[in-house]
Amino acid sequence: MLVTAKEMLDKAKAGHYAVGHFNINNLEWTKSILAVAQELNSPVILGVSEGAGKYMTGYKTVAAMVKAMIEEMGITVPVALHLDHGSYEGCKKCIEAGFSSIMFDGSHLPIEENIEKTKELVKLAHENGMSIEAEVGSIGGEEDGIIGAGEFADPEECKKIADLGVDFLAAGIGNIHGKYPANWPGLNFDVLAKVQEKTGTLPLVLHGGTGIPADMIKKAITLGVSKINVNTECQLAFADATRKYIEAGKDLEGKGFDPRKLLAPGAEAIKDTVREKIELFGSANKA
Ligand SMILES: [Zn+2]
């Protein structure tokens, strides 16, 4: 069922596990992620970037597809449909389109402006029965054209944003989008601990979940991270499996060119990645 991300993340925070946020790009992605969440009896968050929303022809298409798929696939675990790194305008569009959750990313704005816009969107989201994530301290790397330098969040600024009534908060702690460079110094747990100290029971969000070693993920969860975003890892798994299928010449055998056959190994690879993450995050059987 489609729900907001608030209750599932409050439960995760109290239960010391994290819920996976997996970005979707198309029907195959959505279907694979929903199937595994149901199989593992886990809550799940489907993340949609503004770029992916556009690719799928618009947020209304996405919302309609996800709602119909939940029904047609008989999905009974809690599913949130969440705008990832939304602009102010994008948030408003997703509220209208029937998403259940939004993220307003005002991390590139001066803190006062971030506060002002976050405050307005918190009110709007809650009036419409939706949950809202905000961000302090930009996440490094590049995601759909938004480039962050990977600064650390200021715990005082996190508290200011948390006090606006946001439901969960992304705080930069050295995490980056995309692949991590070989010389990456790792997550900064001191910053995370200070943010957690200032924000109390508010669920914290770790972006850039791809390639963070499992022990760091586990430690982050013990320090208050309740939502972990995974995007690049599913993309790499899909591309790798698809390349192998084509390189093996399978598309040239019989009806191997049928898109349902051609995309099947990639879809299975996404499933394997999601399964692995849900097990690591500890949200299996927490639906
Ligand atoms: Zn992100």
Side-chain angles (χ1 to χ4, degrees):
M1 59 193 156
L2 190 68
V3 296
T4 79
K6 179 172 169 53
E7 194 189 330
M8 64 171 85
L9 293 179
D10 283 345
K11 272 172 76 178
K13 177 97 181 187
H16 307 289
Y17 59 90
V19 177
H21 154 137
F22 300 98
N23 284 78
I24 59 171
N25 291 286
N26 59 19
L27 181 143
E28 279 74 19
W29 245 260
T30 314
K31 185 173 152 186
S32 294
I33 296 162
L34 287 176
V36 174
Q38 184 69 24
E39 171 197 315
L40 298 181
N41 193 31
S42 168
V44 74
I45 298 168
L46 302 177
V48 181
S49 69
E50 296 209 338
K54 234 178 249 166
Y55 175 79
M56 289 184 271
T57 74
Y59 301 124
K60 285 183 188 166
T61 307
V62 179
M65 176 181 75
V66 168
K67 284 174 190 170
M69 228 183 244
I70 288 172
E71 188 185 330
E72 301 276 17
M73 291 174 73
I75 303 293
T76 55
V77 297
V79 179
L81 177 58
H82 180 71
L83 172 66
D84 192 21
H85 293 282
S87 62
Y88 180 79
E89 294 74 24
C91 284
K92 289 196 163 173
K93 279 188 189 160
C94 286
I95 291 172
E96 273 173 35
F99 275 47
S100 67
S101 189
I102 50 172
M103 173 190 188
F104 172 58
D105 182 354
S107 62
H108 54 287
L109 300 171
I111 184 69
E112 292 313 322
E113 193 180 345
N114 189 0
I115 287 174
E116 191 188 310
K117 291 214 161 81
T118 299
K119 195 173 169 183
E120 190 185 323
L121 289 167
V122 164
K123 186 166 175 277
L124 215 49
H126 289 170
E127 277 169 4
N128 285 277
M130 301 164 77
S131 51
I132 178 166
E133 172 179 352
E135 178 171 332
V136 180
S138 75
I139 313 294
E142 186 266 344
E143 190 159 27
D144 270 332
I146 298 168
I147 296 164
E151 64 206 54
F152 297 127
D154 174 345
E156 292 298 337
E157 289 185 355
C158 289
K159 175 151 177 51
K160 279 188 196 164
I161 296 274
D163 287 346
L164 301 175
V166 300
D167 299 298
F168 35 105
L169 179 72
I173 54 166
N175 42 323
I176 59 173
H177 290 125
K179 285 185 184 177
Y180 285 83
N183 60 353
W184 179 56
L187 296 175
N188 189 316
F189 293 112
D190 291 339
V191 174
L192 178 56
K194 280 179 191 141
V195 170
Q196 151 83 10
E197 202 181 292
K198 291 282 176 192
T199 55
T201 56
L202 188 71
L204 300 175
V205 183
L206 184 65
H207 283 246
T210 296
I212 298 177
D215 57 327
M216 281 194 196
I217 292 279
K218 287 191 169 154
K219 189 165 178 194
I221 293 172
T222 66
L223 288 168
V225 165
S226 317
K227 172 178 181 277
I228 300 176
N229 291 20
V230 177
N231 186 10
T232 309
E233 205 153 337
C234 290
Q235 298 184 354
L236 292 170
F238 179 87
D240 190 46
T242 307
R243 178 167 19 81
K244 281 186 183 137
Y245 181 87
I246 291 173
E247 279 178 356
K250 298 240 170 91
D251 57 319
L252 303 172
E253 292 168 12
K255 287 244 179 178
F257 56 85
D258 178 333
R260 283 169 282 173
K261 292 202 171 83
L262 182 66
L263 298 176
E268 277 308 310
I270 294 171
K271 281 188 178 179
D272 292 342
T273 303
V274 172
R275 205 175 280 120
E276 190 187 297
K277 296 297 167 190
I278 287 178
E279 300 283 4
L280 173 64
F281 302 162
S283 70
N285 293 314
K286 306 283 189 188

